[in-house]
């Protein structure tokens, strides 16, 4: 597995574009740096390769690389951010992927699409989260570009506004979900494709436990899992590594938001 990460050089809580963000609740810069070091060290020690994106002072949310794009082989479909505060990141991502030898595609600019934050792969199909940031209309366009089946899932909870905050495919047949983030029909769709592990404890929601990276049988996620969820994951055969992510939660993201999957 190879991930794209971005150091928190200019990470700040400067605006409020999701319910986790509060300008009054500033990030502590020493902890921000320390948590990034722990996260990247944990990835490397788990056998995950990393590429680093260079942060840009104009964009305080760049640490959340998952939103830059979606990658399939050597093709990058670049994000069209909903909020003006992040829109400039698309051009930086586009230039980066071109330089790295990727073929680059954009959706029409009126179609919001926030990259892998809302678009996750399991086996040969992709799942699109829509309704909060990305638009449902992105689905058929992405399906045509990637030549893959795309299954849309409506997101209904403002705190779980990206698909990767409430839906984590752990392998081709198991997914960890926060059931309160989906409609009844969305849950039915999810159950058609997966065996589900449900996140039901408030403490797991507070740390955005679904916002994880799963490499083979290792799950890397934020610190503070409930005993109940830990034991469900262990029973399903997964090993959990918890890393402190308190500063990144202030911006509305955790482990998965801070990583864009370049190679799975
Ligand atoms: N502050 C960022 C935003 O609201 C957080 C992004 C979290 N990313 C994610 N993939 N869920 O856009």
């Amino acid at each position: 597995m190879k991930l794209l990460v971005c150091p928190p050089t200019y990470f700040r809580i400067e605006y409020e574009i999701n319910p986790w963000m509060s300008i009054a609740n500033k990030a502590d810069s020493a902890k921000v740096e320390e948590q990034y070091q722990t996260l990247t060290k944990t990835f490397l020690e788990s056998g995950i390769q990393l590429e680093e994106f260079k942060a840009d002072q104009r964009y305080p949310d760049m640490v959340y690389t998952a939103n830059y794009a979606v990658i399939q082989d050597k093709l990058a479909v670049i994000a069209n951010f909903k909020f003006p505060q992040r829109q400039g990141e698309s051009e930086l991502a586009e230039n980066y992927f071109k330089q790295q030898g990727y073929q680059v595609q954009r959706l029409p600019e009126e179609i919001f699409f926030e990259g892998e934050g809302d678009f996750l792969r399991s086996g040969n199909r992709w799942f699109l989260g829509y309704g909060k940031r990305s638009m449902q209309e992105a689905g058929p366009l992405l399906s045509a570009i990637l030549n893959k089946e795309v299954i849309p899932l409506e997101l209904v909870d403002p705190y779980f506004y990206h698909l990767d905050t409430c839906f984590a495919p752990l392998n081709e047949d198991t997914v960890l979900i926060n059931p309160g983030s989906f409609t009844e029909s969305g849950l039915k769709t999810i159950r058609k494709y997966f065996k589900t592990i449900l996140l039901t404890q408030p403490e797991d929601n507070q740390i955005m436990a679904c916002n994880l990276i799963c490499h083979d049988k290792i799950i890397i996620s934020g610190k503070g899992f409930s005993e109940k969820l830990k034991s469900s994951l262990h029973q399903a055969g997964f090993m959990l590594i918890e890393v402190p992510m308190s500063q990144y939660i202030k911006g509305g993201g955790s482990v998965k938001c801070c990583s864009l999957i370049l190679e799975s």
Side-chain angles (χ1 to χ4, degrees):
M1 176 178 253
K2 193 193 266 187
L3 303 177
L4 181 69
V5 292
C6 176
T9 327
Y10 306 108
F11 177 67
R12 299 175 305 277
I13 312 295
E14 201 167 81
Y15 45 77
E16 297 171 359
I17 58 170
N18 68 59
W20 303 79
M21 300 176 91
S22 158
I23 294 173
N25 189 20
K26 298 269 176 250
D28 170 326
S29 48
K31 281 195 189 152
V32 160
E33 184 53 37
E34 194 185 302
Q35 293 185 352
Y36 180 75
Q37 294 306 332
T38 308
L39 177 66
T40 48
K41 189 163 166 274
T42 308
F43 282 149
L44 293 170
E45 286 173 357
S46 307
I48 297 171
Q49 290 173 273
L50 298 180
E51 297 282 337
E52 258 196 359
F53 197 95
K54 198 171 170 303
D56 184 302
Q57 194 163 7
R58 291 169 294 172
Y59 305 110
D61 264 337
M62 287 208 81
V63 72
Y64 304 110
T65 52
N67 299 117
Y68 297 0
V70 151
I71 310 296
Q72 182 174 277
D73 303 320
K74 269 292 191 181
L75 169 66
V77 186
I78 308 295
N80 286 342
F81 285 91
K82 176 172 176 178
F83 290 106
Q85 291 95 330
R86 294 199 69 183
Q87 282 166 357
E89 294 176 41
S90 296
E91 197 191 330
L92 302 178
E94 182 167 346
N95 294 340
Y96 173 83
F97 286 111
K98 280 185 181 156
Q99 271 162 21
Q100 299 291 315
Y102 286 77
Q103 200 198 321
V104 164
Q105 292 246 21
R106 293 292 293 262
L107 301 185
E109 62 181 330
E110 67 281 9
I111 309 289
F112 300 140
F113 167 59
E114 299 210 346
E116 215 179 69
D118 269 330
F119 203 60
L120 293 169
R121 197 168 69 89
S122 174
N124 227 11
R125 39 177 88 85
W126 289 94
F127 291 84
L128 168 73
Y130 71 90
K132 294 284 175 254
R133 295 290 183 90
S134 300
M135 292 172 161
Q136 189 173 11
E137 289 82 345
L141 301 171
L142 290 162
S143 175
I145 293 172
L146 303 171
N147 197 20
K148 288 274 157 49
E149 186 184 4
V150 170
I151 293 144
L153 293 169
E154 186 178 3
L155 302 179
V156 296
D157 183 332
Y159 277 90
F160 299 95
Y161 58 94
H162 276 141
L163 185 65
D164 68 0
T165 65
C166 51
F167 177 94
L170 302 178
N171 56 34
E172 287 191 21
D173 48 39
T174 312
V175 68
L176 172 67
I177 57 163
N178 173 6
S181 306
F182 298 97
T183 60
E184 270 312 312
S185 96
L187 290 172
K188 227 165 112 188
T189 305
I190 295 171
R191 289 198 187 101
K192 201 165 102 193
Y193 296 102
F194 295 101
K195 205 161 64 197
T196 54
I197 300 179
L198 301 184
L199 184 155
T200 50
Q201 305 302 103
E203 63 260 52
D204 296 317
N205 275 330
Q206 274 158 23
I207 58 152
M208 225 185 238
C210 289
N211 201 246
L212 56 83
I213 285 289
C214 185
H215 176 49
D216 295 329
K217 288 278 177 186
I218 304 176
I219 292 175
I220 303 167
S221 189
K223 208 181 184 68
F225 271 61
S226 67
E227 289 307 319
K228 186 166 173 224
L229 186 54
K230 273 189 207 168
S231 85
S232 313
L233 293 172
H234 288 156
Q235 268 166 28
F238 295 94
M239 182 194 143
L240 174 66
I241 305 180
E242 293 175 81
V243 290
M245 293 297 289
S246 58
Q247 302 311 304
Y248 300 103
I249 282 283
K250 291 180 185 175
S254 183
V255 174
K256 174 64 196 69
C257 301
C258 296
S259 13
L260 175 70
I261 303 174
L262 298 174
E263 288 170 26
S264 51

